[in-house]
Structures are given as C-alpha cells and as structure tokens.
Amino acid sequence: HVANEYDLPCMQPPDRREQLEDPHDPTRAILEMVFKRHDADESGEIEMHEVNSILEENGLTFDSEALDIVFKKFDVDGSGTLDFNEFCEMMADLKAEKAIVEKRSTSYELP
C-alpha cells in the first residue's frame, strides 16, 4: 500500500518529477540526449558501466562501491539496467544532473 507519492520508488518530490517528465524541459532534453548516446543497443536501458562512463565524461567520479549501492537503489525492477526515468532519478540523487547540464549545454545543440 502506498500512503503518499513519497513512498513510491521514485525519490524526487512530485514537482521535481513533473519537471523531469516535461519533454520541453531543458534538463530533461540534455539528460535524454546523453542517455541515448550511451544506450548503444538502443534498448531504452543502460547498464552500470554506461552510467559510470556518463559520470566520468562529465568530470564526476564516485567510489565504485557507493555508485553500485546507488545504482541498485534506482534499479527498481532489479534488471541490472536503468530506464530513462530511473537514470534521471539517479542523476538527481547524485546531484550530477546540474554538472551534466552545464557541461552539455555548451557541447551539444539542443533541439
């Protein structure tokens, strides 16, 4: 039984979640671009090593054990991969999205 929205696996407050779900939100657009670039097999999901690559290429390094714990927290279905929404949640939790957005907004053409 879910008592309120905060009990769901998603860690972000409802207003933040709405922002990440808005297809016109610039943060979402950049995260989606980065996600798709690393989703080599176009499965709509990325694995731990791909998440690590995303973080490293954006100048963010995390202890591999800590990163593994956080990855498992957001891999809600236990598939060993993150879909785009799970990826957004993880980046927000790691406070990585801001660094990625700042770096990428100068590197990529936004739609």
Side-chain angles (χ1 to χ4, degrees), residues 4-87:
N4 61 55
E5 289 213 31
Y6 291 100
D7 290 338
L8 296 171
C10 180
M11 304 294 168
Q12 299 304 311
D15 58 332
R16 180 73 185 102
R17 192 174 316 145
E18 279 179 31
Q19 180 187 3
L20 285 173
E21 290 172 358
D22 177 1
H24 304 294
D25 179 67
T27 298
R28 178 190 163 92
I30 290 172
L31 288 175
E32 192 168 17
M33 201 175 339
V34 169
F35 180 89
K36 285 181 176 176
R37 208 178 91 214
H38 285 271
D39 179 17
D41 61 1
E42 298 180 7
S43 65
E45 299 190 330
I46 57 176
E47 297 170 18
M48 175 69 181
H49 68 90
E50 293 166 318
V51 171
N52 200 33
S53 294
I54 290 169
L55 293 170
E56 284 179 357
E57 78 177 24
N58 287 285
L60 302 164
T61 53
F62 292 90
D63 172 81
S64 61
E65 198 171 305
L67 197 55
D68 189 51
I69 290 167
V70 174
F71 185 89
K72 286 178 178 157
K73 178 168 109 178
F74 290 98
D75 179 17
V76 178
D77 59 5
S79 63
T81 59
L82 298 180
D83 66 22
F84 178 66
N85 288 333
E86 291 168 337
F87 170 73

Side-chain angles (χ1 to χ4, degrees), residues 11-12 70 73-74 88-97:
M11 304 294 168
Q12 299 304 311
V70 174
K73 178 168 109 178
F74 290 98
C88 286
E89 292 286 333
M90 182 176 175
M91 293 302 103
D93 190 67
L94 291 173
K95 310 278 189 275
E97 64 179 5

